[in-house]
Amino acid sequence: VEIARALAEKTSFTHAAPLIGTLEYVPGSGPSATLATLLGYVPNEGDAWHYTLDALRRSFEHILTRPARGPDPVLPNRPFLDLVDEELPPMAPELVGPYLEIARLMGQRTAQMHAAFASIVDDSAFAPEPFTFNYQQSTFQTARTWVFRVFNYLRQHLPELPEAARSAGQILLGREADLVQHLRTILSRRITSLRIRCHGDYGLGSLLYTGKDFVVIDFEGESLRPLGNRRHKRSALRDVASLLHSLYSAVRTALLAEHLRPEDRPVLEPWARCWHVWASAAFVRAYLDTARARSFLPGARAEMQILLDFYVLGRGIFELR
């Protein structure tokens, strides 16, 4: 409710579902609570999650029915943002198809949403704040606590998992210290950017596809986190990382589709990895082009890579829970 009102009353961002009204409980003392919200109807063709699954299905069918696939594609072993800066390889448009333009449009709308949040300077709940080293330390401590909590939960429930999942779980538990060490990279240098209010639970399911454009919905944040935590200002790249994780989840879901034969999945695996990387690169490149030089982005690419790595890992831990 707070975000929808701010976007409508204080910004020119028009790609969010409009808030029509709320049902509130107002006690005799203490804060009020929102029981329900009514949003304006947005004519749509479904969300970006289902659109993406359809695009992946078509891509997989194209790969499996080609008379000659040639050798499996190999991704360059370079940092992700290096790939974002480069031109897409010739095979990317053929593999990803029209979805490349969809990914670029999602990147543009995401950057415009963040620019709208950052433009609200007359409201303390939204005014951007510095990304201090104390905040970096606090962010790392929170992530480390989530790792301990989630991994302990995994240890407790490991015997209940199917055999294949138990094996993967054991491998993951053995890498717990490595994971924490990688998260610690966020403390390796000062991050020079501002923190802003963000979507908070951003993914393909947060975007309605109208047939020509996208409208953002579901600004309530991650339901497992306390409400006060959801109102914190964070790096805008947290939303970007969440959508990248959502793209990855869509690829994994498409590979497990019932209509695929078991023998097709190993064939599709390398192509699916490439689909994910090049669609992700198109999304992030459009995001950075649209948000270029904004104060909510770090000034150095190394800082940007650190934050993206940190938040992608953090999202994975949260989803594992």
Side-chain angles (χ1 to χ4, degrees):
V1 173
E2 183 181 44
I3 286 176
R5 283 181 178 151
L7 287 176
E9 297 171 6
K10 297 177 180 289
T11 79
S12 59
F13 186 69
T14 58
H15 295 278
L19 178 69
I20 304 301
T22 65
L23 181 64
E24 308 245 341
Y25 170 68
V26 182
S29 61
S32 62
T34 302
L35 302 181
T37 59
L38 181 65
L39 301 177
Y41 176 67
V42 178
N44 68 88
E45 299 180 5
D47 58 30
W49 172 263
H50 290 96
Y51 186 99
T52 302
L53 290 181
D54 285 343
L56 282 161
R57 177 182 51 78
R58 290 191 295 271
S59 180
F60 290 173
E61 288 174 355
H62 176 65
I63 292 165
L64 293 172
T65 56
R66 280 195 307 186
R69 280 191 296 270
D72 288 345
V74 178
L75 288 169
N77 186 21
R78 294 194 295 282
F80 175 67
L81 286 179
D82 287 356
L83 304 182
V84 170
D85 286 336
E86 299 169 5
E87 292 299 323
L88 294 178
M91 60 91 66
E94 180 185 359
L95 175 62
V96 185
Y99 193 86
L100 279 177
E101 288 306 315
I102 293 295
R104 292 182 181 114
L105 182 58
M106 288 193 294
Q108 292 168 12
R109 296 294 176 248
T110 305
Q112 290 164 352
M113 175 181 70
H114 289 156
F117 285 137
S119 71
I120 305 173
V121 296
D122 59 348
D123 182 342
S124 60
F126 285 86
E129 296 178 8
F131 206 111
T132 64
F133 193 70
N134 283 342
Y135 177 77
Q136 289 173 237
Q137 292 175 311
S138 172
T139 300
F140 167 69
Q141 296 291 353
T142 300
R144 186 171 64 174
T145 299
W146 266 96
V147 172
F148 292 158
R149 187 180 303 166
V150 172
F151 275 53
N152 283 337
Y153 192 70
L154 176 59
R155 284 188 189 92
Q156 294 168 15
H157 293 273
L158 199 64
E160 304 165 23
L161 297 178
E163 185 176 349
R166 279 203 305 275
S167 175
Q170 289 284 12
I171 294 170
L172 184 59
L173 289 171
R175 300 296 301 275
E176 182 176 1
D178 294 338
L179 178 59
V180 172
Q181 189 60 34
H182 200 83
L183 289 168
R184 194 185 299 274
T185 307
I186 197 173
L187 304 179
S188 63
R189 61 186 292 167
R190 290 289 297 271
I191 304 296
T192 55
S193 71
L194 294 179
R195 296 182 290 120
I196 62 172
R197 285 292 287 272
C198 298
H199 183 282
D201 192 19
Y202 201 52
L204 295 169
S206 310
L207 293 162
L208 291 181
Y209 184 58
T210 67
K212 295 181 179 179
D213 214 326
F214 288 104
V215 173
V216 187
I217 58 172
D218 296 345
F219 285 101
E220 64 269 20
E222 296 164 338
S223 59
L224 285 180
R225 299 188 189 274
L227 188 59
N229 179 279
R230 295 184 232 169
R231 298 177 74 230
H232 287 174
K233 294 162 190 172
R234 296 180 167 91
S235 169
L237 292 175
R238 185 173 183 266
D239 279 350
V240 174
S242 291
L243 195 129
L244 292 177
H245 186 278
S246 187
L247 274 171
Y248 172 79
S249 298
V251 171
R252 304 312 303 175
T253 299
L255 280 173
L256 294 173
E258 291 182 359
H259 70 273
L260 288 178
R261 299 176 303 175
E263 60 267 29
D264 288 337
R265 293 185 180 114
V267 173
L268 290 170
E269 186 82 37
W271 298 92
R273 283 199 299 270
C274 283
W275 193 102
H276 171 244
V277 167
W278 298 127
S280 297
F283 165 73
V284 173
R285 183 167 185 171
Y287 176 86
L288 295 178
D289 285 345
T290 306
R292 191 170 300 283
R294 296 279 186 170
S295 58
F296 56 80
L297 287 181
R301 276 300 170 97
E303 298 171 32
M304 210 176 293
Q305 187 70 66
I306 287 171
L307 287 176
L308 274 179
D309 285 348
F310 179 87
Y311 287 123
V312 166
L313 276 175
R315 187 70 194 193
I317 296 162
F318 184 81
E319 293 293 338
L320 177 63
R321 169 68 178 84

